[in-house]
Amino acid sequence: MTDYTNKVILITGAGGNLGNNVAKRFFALGANLALLEFDQKKLKAVASQFEGSDRVKGYKVNLIDNNSVTESIKAIMSDFKKIDALLNIAGGFQMGPKIEDTEDALWEHMFNLNTKSIFLTCRATLPYMIKNNNGSIVNISARAALNGKANMGPYCASKSAVKTLTESLAEENKTENINVNCILPGTLDTPENRSSMPDANFKNWVPLDAISDVIIFLTSENAKHITGASIPVYGQS
């Protein structure tokens, strides 16, 4: 397993189920963690697990506001001096009506959460990675990025945009020693998903550790020559 001692890992959506899991996994590998989260209560909850450690700092941020993102990245650079990996885990899902009945607000909400947030964090972080001639970026897309589904148009389109944005970022930075990849998860096994789909077969869903395993690999030296990839992690479904 790669030793992440002295590595700085930036995690967006750190207060969510997957973000929290990823944070604990990287901390156990010796990494320094910069935890970004909009919800102050969630940020305090995830940071409290590492209380007393000078390897972890939390930052409240609005990921769809350029000034907020830019200032947060500057604060991370001031505190840690570098960013070795950017993990864009923040995002969201919402079912909708058919496209002809979809309001602008839902379309914009999905693209803000899932696509604009990644655009802004990458734009703010990349200059520091390029200057350091090193870095890894992992974006969370979705299985739904590959095929449109009924009543999920805004979500599918926004996650498809994440996949395409990942490919563009990879092409632009392949000579900068920066690899950029994304993961296409199936249904994640979270308390919220179990509550909303109580009759589903949870054994078919993707454990959070399975996604964290792939993220750890993609940010390791073993994956340095993998860039522009979309990795499917569908579980048994």
Side-chain angles (χ1 to χ4, degrees):
M1 185 65 72
T2 300
D3 182 7
Y4 283 85
T5 303
N6 297 323
K7 298 290 187 181
V8 179
I9 311 297
L10 191 169
I11 304 171
T12 75
N17 292 299
L18 180 57
N20 190 7
N21 184 281
V22 169
K24 289 189 288 188
R25 294 286 301 278
F26 273 97
F27 184 81
L29 294 172
N32 298 287
L33 305 179
L35 307 177
L36 270 62
E37 175 61 55
F38 177 73
D39 188 313
Q40 188 70 43
K41 283 179 91 172
K42 288 183 178 180
L43 181 59
K44 286 183 178 180
V46 65
S48 68
Q49 299 173 103
F50 314 105
E51 194 169 353
S53 174
D54 60 0
R55 292 197 283 125
V56 181
K57 292 185 182 296
Y59 306 83
K60 187 179 186 303
V61 62
N62 180 353
L63 290 173
I64 63 173
D65 180 83
N66 181 58
N67 289 335
S68 181
V69 171
T70 300
E71 291 305 310
S72 294
I73 301 304
K74 287 180 179 178
I76 292 168
M77 289 301 300
S78 177
D79 291 335
F80 290 108
K81 312 307 178 190
K82 64 173 182 172
I83 297 170
D84 294 291
L86 165 61
L87 312 181
N88 281 308
I89 294 174
F93 169 79
Q94 187 173 335
M95 288 290 293
K98 293 182 178 180
I99 290 298
E100 66 265 29
D101 298 318
T102 298
E103 296 183 356
D104 291 357
L106 175 57
W107 181 269
E108 291 167 3
H109 181 59
M110 285 292 91
F111 271 83
N112 281 339
L113 281 180
N114 295 324
T115 313
K116 185 179 181 180
S117 61
I118 291 176
F119 163 65
L120 291 179
T121 53
C122 288
R123 186 172 67 177
T125 304
L126 274 166
Y128 299 107
M129 287 185 170
I130 291 169
K131 185 176 181 180
N132 199 36
N133 192 231
N134 179 68
S136 293
I137 297 174
V138 180
N139 300 322
I140 300 297
S141 181
R143 184 177 188 173
L146 301 179
N147 300 103
K149 303 293 183 183
N151 302 98
M152 290 171 55
Y155 175 75
C156 293
S158 66
K159 286 298 191 178
S160 182
V162 171
K163 179 180 179 295
T164 304
L165 178 60
T166 297
E167 293 164 354
S168 292
L169 287 164
E171 283 296 308
E172 291 173 356
N173 292 283
K174 61 185 180 183
T175 62
E176 306 288 352
N177 199 34
I178 298 168
N179 65 329
V180 188
N181 298 287
C182 72
I183 299 175
L184 311 176
T187 303
L188 296 180
D189 190 359
T190 66
E192 291 81 2
N193 282 341
R194 288 191 177 214
S195 177
S196 65
M197 294 176 274
D199 297 326
N201 185 352
F202 306 143
K203 291 181 180 179
N204 292 341
W205 291 359
V206 182
L208 296 179
D209 274 336
I211 304 297
S212 293
D213 286 341
V214 178
I215 293 173
I216 290 167
F217 169 70
L218 290 174
T219 57
S220 72
E221 288 300 315
N222 294 329
K224 206 61 187 172
H225 298 288
I226 300 173
T227 193
S230 300
I231 311 295
V233 187
Y234 296 162
Q236 303 302 315
S237 56

